[in-house]
Amino acid sequence: MIKDKKQSEMLAALYESNFRKLFLYATAHFNDDALAEEAVQEVFVLAHRRIDEVTTCPNPEGWLMNAQKYIVLRKLREQRQYRKTFISIEFLTSTTDKPWSVAATELAAEWSGLINEEDFK
């Protein structure tokens, strides 16, 4: 948490000088301005919480970019999980003329290799 005016001013300056770069980085990965803006906001919330770490870092801009990279990766992983779940449920619920076990077996065969155990960790 911010303890003094100097830290507050530094965070404000970092925001002013880095928002656009962080936003463009996130937009390139999401193709969605709202999601990109959310990711950038998360970076600055994290920077606010860890302001001592940011202010003592020799490269605060690099700290922000690194944080952005990991936030973007986490959000992409969450999106991928959501899409897999949504598509699986949609496929299974639209298959009304087959028993569930047959539909699930067909889905597994059709998507063989697309989903692996690592994706569910």
Side-chain angles (χ1 to χ4, degrees):
M1 295 298 271
I2 294 179
K3 298 174 187 168
D4 59 30
K5 189 175 180 178
K6 182 181 175 189
Q7 288 179 335
S8 179
E9 289 170 353
M10 180 183 182
L11 189 58
L14 284 170
Y15 180 87
E16 289 295 319
S17 62
N18 291 283
F19 177 86
R20 181 165 170 72
K21 181 178 14 172
L22 295 169
F23 180 75
L24 291 174
Y25 177 85
T27 302
H29 290 281
F30 296 126
N31 294 322
D32 178 348
D33 289 353
L35 196 53
E37 190 171 320
E38 184 180 315
V40 176
Q41 288 172 353
E42 283 189 41
V43 170
F44 284 102
V45 167
L46 183 62
H48 181 267
R49 288 185 186 144
R50 296 182 172 179
I51 192 66
D52 291 332
E53 189 178 323
V54 175
T55 55
T56 58
C57 179
N59 181 7
E61 291 83 6
W63 189 97
L64 293 173
M65 282 302 294
N66 202 35
Q68 179 72 330
K69 175 179 72 174
Y70 287 108
I71 288 170
V72 165
L73 288 173
R74 179 180 49 80
K75 287 187 168 298
L76 288 171
R77 213 172 16 256
E78 289 169 359
Q79 278 188 326
R80 189 173 63 235
Q81 273 309 111
Y82 174 78
R83 279 195 302 269
K84 286 178 188 174
T85 303
F86 179 76
I87 291 170
S88 298
I89 291 170
E90 184 179 66
F91 176 83
L92 291 174
T93 57
S94 68
T95 311
T96 56
D97 60 333
K98 298 177 185 174
W100 286 100
S101 59
V102 173
T105 303
E106 287 177 2
L107 178 65
E110 187 176 323
W111 287 3
S112 179
L114 295 177
I115 301 173
N116 59 45
E117 203 173 303
E118 192 67 28
D119 293 333
F120 293 97
K121 292 183 180 182

